[in-house]
Amino acid sequence: MAEPILQVSNLVKHFPITRGILFQSQVGSVKAVDGVSFELNKGETLGIVGESGCGKSTLAKLIMQLERPTSGSVTFKGQQIFGQSGGELRRTRRNIQMVMQDPYTSLNPRMTVGDIIGEPYEIHPEVAPKGDRQRRVQELLELVGLNPEHINRYPHQFSGGQRQRIGIARALALRPEVIVCDEPVSALDVSIQAQVINLLGRLQKEMGLSYVFIAHDLSVVRHISDRVGVMYLGKMVEIGTEQEIYERPTHPYTQALLSAVPVADPTARANREIIRLEGDVPSPANPPSGCRFRTRCWKAQDICATEEPALIDRSADAHPSACHFAELRHVVA
Amino acid sequence: MSNHLLEVDNLHIEFRTRDGVAKVINGVSYHLDPGETLAVLGESGSGKSVTAQAIMGILDMPPGVITNGEIRYEGRNLLTMPEEERRRLRGKEIAMIFQDALSALNPVYSVGFQISETLRRNEGVAKDVAMKRAVELMDLVKIPAAKDRLKNYPHEFSGGMRQRVMIAMSLAQNPKVLIADEPTTALDVTVQAQIMDLLAELRRELDMGLILITHDLGVVADVADRIAVMYAGRIVEHADVHSIYAKPAHPYTQGLLDSIPRLDSKGHELSTIKGLPPNLLRPPSGCAFHPRCPMAQQVCQEKVPPSLNLGGGRTSACLFAEEILHG
């Protein structure tokens, strides 16, 4: 296969917990992302799923360089992106853009749509010379299915789905190669969500984009992704192609997650296997020893508390799964 | 006729705002019997929560005005009842839980205090007895180590546990009707599954009528007996859960079902409902769905479709309902 466009290796982000005001001392740390590795190939979509607090949004911020990592590396086309500065950093940022979750708070209410989408050109004037910008912004509006004549309107004049299109147009302005989508459709109504998912799919085909697609909705992730990674408490617990994860999951957490998804088909209610997890996700400030899922896992043995399972290919199926007792189980009918 | 536990009959509500009058509820009727789950399904702005607020009597008036219709509880019209009497029904007969448990709970009182508050205020139960009952309720909703957590404050609970606290609060006076307004929207899937199981179990055990308000077609399929689909302040389709998923009788329901990605297969392009939900300040003429409807004809712009009875308790507010169902 081709060389990966984005390579994340052993990425770690610990947020310090401090006490005291004047003389701050660190009393612990929140292990938001704790050793995550994956590759993203050109033109592919990697879905990242997990519950709140699993570190998926921190992962997005790290890739965007909005947070500094504690350790680990991210390379874009073979080049390490952390530690870059000046022109080099700007060039990298041009190629990795982001679509945020909440279309209501991620657009400045005092800027017109034209200013919002055109703002990236202020920082990267080499992409579009000044006289050319309005035309470019109108092209982008048309590309994402908005009326180019609405260039002088403000965000509040648009609906949620339209605002998300504005956010997508802004991300596309600099013609990036990678787009990190952090829950891009979770704030939208069902009928609008489908429109935005189709738009993202179409843009990917037309422009050869690569997506890191972060979401908690497993059906949406399956629909859009080529490969899927499942995160739990800062760790990747299972990763594989969309078929491997959904049809041949081997990690108990993936199985429980899939089984918990409500399916819009009442006849499926009877013949679906139900796995119900007990309790809540533990605090990432004080994660369980060994396997982090063991406190909620029905398979947990002594070894799970002492030895952390590695994310490697297991005998159950040929894709990486971080469980000592990985075994195949069909949960999606 | 009105042997139902709760009956909403031809309800009309409008919001009189600075920008004009928005007709948010345009003749909604539904009913609920003991021990059954009615799901009210709709997208934002469809009026599903406003109807529930009117039932509870917590609609903001102004700007809201109920212009027509009745809401009957055990045969008595709630809308013409003196406020004093209505207050006695609220919580005791009809209770409600909300989407965001953190903002629905008071951050400066312990959960034990909040759960027992209705008992002390409304039924004059002594403090220690009320607290004992609070522990029972917390056990009922499966909060572990309930006794030790009585003195905890809402921020010390996780999202799922907070939702359980709110359910415990709503059950304090053994209501016969529980209205749950998007109870799991803010929760993760594994926790959502726990809460939905809990609600279904409580409904069975306590023989309550449950009105579940949601936008999630998946959640509905798992727990509901009947479904009422709302669009622009009207119920466009009403049917039992099996018939509606097997064969919808309204193009909007059809569109909704087709536009959700499936977990068990990787589809290609999703079919979508084109366009946007209507602006209720300037609703479209005729059928409110016609600008987005793939089947729309000239007549749909002229005539508001009545609710057609399709037999077996099914109704559809589409002029072509028969064609959709049998075609």
Side-chain angles (χ1 to χ4, degrees):
Chain A
M1 280 282 281
E3 178 188 336
I5 190 162
L6 198 71
Q7 191 159 20
V8 173
S9 20
N10 216 4
L11 201 57
V12 177
K13 176 69 192 177
H14 291 179
F15 293 100
I17 306 170
T18 56
R19 190 159 290 162
I21 297 161
L22 202 52
F23 302 102
Q24 291 196 342
S25 58
Q26 188 174 337
V27 293
S29 60
V30 173
K31 298 172 181 67
V33 173
D34 211 6
V36 167
S37 307
F38 62 82
E39 288 171 358
L40 178 71
N41 296 317
K42 186 156 177 56
E44 143 185 279
T45 301
L46 175 71
I48 306 272
V49 291
E51 297 180 280
S52 35
C54 73
K56 53 194 197 299
S57 287
T58 306
L59 181 66
K61 286 184 187 156
L62 287 167
I63 297 171
M64 293 306 298
Q65 301 187 68
L66 297 172
E67 294 280 358
R68 281 171 187 284
T70 308
S71 68
S73 79
V74 175
T75 59
F76 173 74
K77 288 186 164 171
Q79 260 194 329
Q80 169 70 249
I81 65 168
F82 296 123
Q84 287 180 339
S85 60
E88 208 182 11
L89 176 63
R90 268 208 300 280
R91 271 194 297 283
T92 308
R93 283 212 161 127
R94 218 188 93 181
N95 280 313
I96 310 178
Q97 290 285 313
M98 185 168 185
V99 177
M100 320 242 183
Q101 170 174 9
D102 185 352
Y104 292 87
T105 55
S106 60
L107 303 176
N108 188 334
R110 293 169 177 241
M111 285 167 77
T112 64
V113 170
D115 291 340
I116 289 171
I117 299 174
E119 197 181 18
Y121 298 136
E122 300 284 326
I123 300 149
H124 301 275
E126 74 279 7
V127 182
K130 244 194 168 114
D132 197 28
R133 283 182 200 164
Q134 177 156 346
R135 192 181 59 80
R136 292 254 185 161
V137 170
Q138 286 180 326
E139 274 175 18
L140 284 166
L141 282 173
E142 202 160 0
L143 185 67
V144 298
L146 292 172
N147 188 341
E149 285 165 24
H150 293 169
I151 187 165
N152 287 321
R153 293 199 177 181
Y154 288 89
H156 75 265
Q157 293 170 292
F158 293 89
S159 70
Q162 290 174 322
R163 285 184 213 209
Q164 200 56 292
R165 289 171 191 264
I166 297 169
I168 293 170
R170 175 175 61 184
L172 291 174
L174 298 173
R175 278 175 290 163
E177 297 184 52
V178 175
I179 296 187
V180 179
C181 306
D182 189 5
E183 303 263 11
V185 295
S186 352
L188 306 177
D189 273 321
V190 190
S191 71
I192 306 301
Q193 174 179 301
Q195 296 174 358
V196 173
I197 292 173
N198 283 347
L199 172 68
L200 287 169
R202 200 191 81 214
L203 292 171
Q204 176 167 46
K205 247 179 259 148
E206 284 174 14
M207 308 173 76
L209 296 166
S210 310
Y211 292 139
V212 176
F213 190 95
I214 295 170
H216 67 273
D217 186 324
L218 286 113
S219 311
V220 169
V221 167
R222 173 159 206 191
H223 183 83
I224 203 160
S225 304
D226 303 304
R227 286 191 305 131
V228 178
V230 183
M231 282 184 76
Y232 186 77
L233 270 183
K235 297 260 183 207
M236 195 74 88
V237 296
E238 187 165 4
I239 188 165
T241 64
E242 153 268 319
Q243 281 195 345
E244 284 166 341
I245 298 296
Y246 285 79
E247 280 165 23
R248 302 195 299 278
T250 62
H251 196 284
Y253 179 63
T254 312
Q255 292 161 355
L257 207 56
L258 285 171
S259 143
V261 177
V263 168
D265 182 2
T267 49
R269 207 189 306 189
N271 47 33
R272 269 181 87 205
E273 197 179 352
I274 307 243
I275 307 168
R276 284 288 180 266
L277 290 181
E278 305 271 315
D280 296 304
V281 184
S283 159
N286 187 20
S289 65
C291 172
R292 295 189 173 185
F293 182 59
R294 71 176 163 86
T295 51
R296 299 171 81 194
C297 184
W298 62 95
K299 285 184 185 172
Q301 308 272 329
D302 290 343
I303 185 180
C304 301
T306 51
E307 197 181 313
E308 191 182 318
L311 182 63
I312 49 171
D313 282 7
R314 302 279 167 177
S315 55
D317 196 67
H319 69 269
S321 170
C323 178
H324 294 301
F325 304 103
E327 63 182 336
L328 221 52
R329 185 165 175 180
H330 299 280
V331 274
V332 178
Chain B
M1 259 308 277
S2 64
N3 300 329
H4 300 299
L5 179 61
L6 180 76
E7 213 173 352
V8 177
D9 190 2
N10 195 26
L11 191 68
H12 285 76
I13 299 176
E14 54 188 45
F15 282 158
R16 299 189 177 150
T17 68
R18 239 181 2 183
D19 304 323
V21 176
K23 296 195 164 139
V24 294
I25 302 292
N26 305 300
V28 164
S29 305
Y30 58 68
H31 63 87
L32 182 74
D33 290 319
E36 74 166 353
T37 303
L38 169 72
V40 180
L41 183 78
E43 297 183 277
S44 19
S46 61
K48 53 196 195 303
S49 295
V50 173
T51 314
Q53 286 167 3
I55 296 172
M56 278 304 281
I58 54 170
L59 185 67
D60 282 332
M61 297 196 282
V65 182
I66 298 175
T67 51
N68 199 358
E70 287 190 358
I71 299 173
R72 289 187 293 273
Y73 176 74
E74 293 184 328
R76 288 181 295 165
N77 187 356
L78 294 174
L79 298 178
T80 52
M81 195 178 268
E83 180 54 36
E84 190 59 24
E85 203 176 324
R86 200 163 181 196
R87 188 185 302 158
R88 279 199 291 274
L89 292 181
R90 201 178 289 146
K92 187 161 175 55
E93 305 289 330
I94 309 175
M96 185 164 176
I97 56 176
F98 302 89
Q99 176 180 149
D100 181 1
L102 187 60
S103 55
L105 294 168
N106 190 329
V108 301
Y109 291 103
S110 70
V111 299
F113 179 89
Q114 294 187 59
I115 294 171
S116 61
E117 190 179 12
T118 43
L119 293 171
R120 281 181 286 117
R121 279 198 63 93
N122 297 1
E123 304 197 345
V125 177
K127 195 177 165 193
D128 54 333
V129 181
M131 279 298 190
K132 250 189 214 129
R133 172 85 178 122
V135 176
E136 282 171 28
L137 286 163
M138 284 165 78
D139 279 332
L140 183 70
V141 297
K142 297 178 183 146
I143 295 175
K147 215 168 185 171
D148 306 323
R149 305 219 63 180
L150 208 55
K151 293 248 162 66
N152 284 164
Y153 289 86
H155 74 266
E156 296 173 274
F157 289 81
S158 66
M161 284 298 151
R162 254 179 237 140
Q163 197 57 272
R164 286 172 197 265
V165 169
M166 198 152 68
I167 295 171
M169 236 166 108
S170 70
L171 297 178
Q173 290 182 284
N174 298 317
K176 293 187 191 140
V177 175
L178 181 64
I179 303 175
D181 190 355
E182 304 262 10
T184 58
T185 308
L187 304 174
D188 283 316
V189 275
T190 59
V191 181
Q192 163 172 296
Q194 294 170 359
I195 297 289
M196 290 317 300
D197 284 354
L198 174 69
L199 281 175
E201 195 183 314
L202 289 171
R203 197 213 69 220
R204 265 197 311 277
E205 275 175 23
L206 308 174
D207 201 31
M208 288 185 300
L210 178 65
I211 297 181
L212 178 70
I213 297 169
T214 181
H215 68 276
D216 189 324
L217 288 129
V219 168
V220 170
D222 275 355
V223 296
D225 298 312
R226 287 185 294 121
I227 299 185
V229 183
M230 287 189 73
Y231 188 79
R234 278 201 175 81
I235 290 185
V236 293
E237 181 167 5
H238 175 242
D240 69 278
V241 68
H242 288 280
S243 334
I244 210 166
Y245 282 92
K247 190 88 182 127
H250 193 283
Y252 176 62
T253 320
Q254 177 96 59
L256 277 184
L257 284 171
D258 289 344
S259 63
I260 44 173
R262 292 185 63 100
L263 189 65
D264 53 2
S265 67
K266 187 172 167 70
H268 302 286
E269 184 101 333
L270 289 174
S271 67
T272 61
I273 302 177
K274 63 179 181 191
L276 302 171
N279 178 351
L280 293 173
L281 287 170
R282 283 180 297 280
S285 64
C287 172
F289 187 59
H290 86 255
R292 305 177 73 188
C293 183
M295 307 180 64
Q297 309 283 330
Q298 184 65 30
V299 59
C300 301
Q301 296 180 32
E302 291 153 8
K303 193 174 161 209
V304 178
S307 200
L308 284 178
N309 194 343
L310 302 168
R314 280 196 88 163
T315 64
S316 166
C318 177
L319 294 171
F320 305 102
E322 297 278 354
E323 282 93 321
I324 302 172
L325 206 54
H326 304 298

